Amino acid sequence: LRPPGWWGNAGIAGCGLPFILFGTLWGTVAQRIGPIRASATGLVCGAGFIAAYGALGSPYAIFALAIVHMTIDAFSVTGTGIMVAETAPPERQAAATGLLGGMQTLTGGITATLAGAAYEAFGRTATMSATAATMVALVATGLVLVGRGWIVTPRPVTTVR
């Protein structure tokens, strides 16, 4: 695609902004509708964005789509933290949060390695399409493993003042 050198850095910074701007809002929504439902919805939407990246030929169009993608991603990312907070006992919160972060980093590293190899072998469109399909399959598997628990409406949110 050959974007200017500074464009990658602008993209990274730009993609962080939605998390800052919408993290609190999406966290509240995720807690209200349930973190599993929120994360699954965000990840399936994210898979659509990943597939679209493979079809776009302009780094500027990819950047614009990425900003929208990160706005939705802030929804799924907050859901995982809420899941830990709701399921781990108070004395294990730190350990559970650390384990979650470690698993996310490990999974990201493995995925980046596989995607890089696939990108070299099959190209951008095929790699992004396969990644999106894998994301949807993993979300579906997760929902099956959770059972009907993701359908249940969560308890009302209690705010401590």
Side-chain angles (χ1 to χ4, degrees), residues 1-3 50 53-57 62 111-131:
L1 298 176
R2 307 261 190 255
I50 296 294
Y53 294 144
L56 295 174
I62 290 172
T111 303
T113 302
L114 295 173
Y119 193 94
E120 292 290 322
F122 305 109
R124 187 179 75 239
T125 303
T127 300
M128 296 300 189
S129 297
T131 300

Side-chain angles (χ1 to χ4, degrees), residues 43-44 46-48 50-51 126-141:
L43 288 167
V44 169
I50 296 294
T127 300
M128 296 300 189
S129 297
T131 300
T134 301
M135 288 173 67
V136 171
L138 290 172
V139 169
T141 301

Side-chain angles (χ1 to χ4, degrees), residues 34-51:
I36 296 171
R37 205 179 312 179
S39 293
T41 301
L43 288 167
V44 169
C45 289
F49 288 111
I50 296 294

Side-chain angles (χ1 to χ4, degrees), residues 7-23 53 59-74 77:
W7 192 249
N9 294 331
I12 291 169
C15 287
L17 288 175
F19 287 91
I20 295 166
L21 298 173
F22 301 110
Y53 294 144
Y60 308 107
I62 290 172
F63 176 78
L65 186 64
I67 296 297
V68 177
H69 178 191
M70 292 305 111
T71 301
I72 301 298
D73 231 18
V77 169

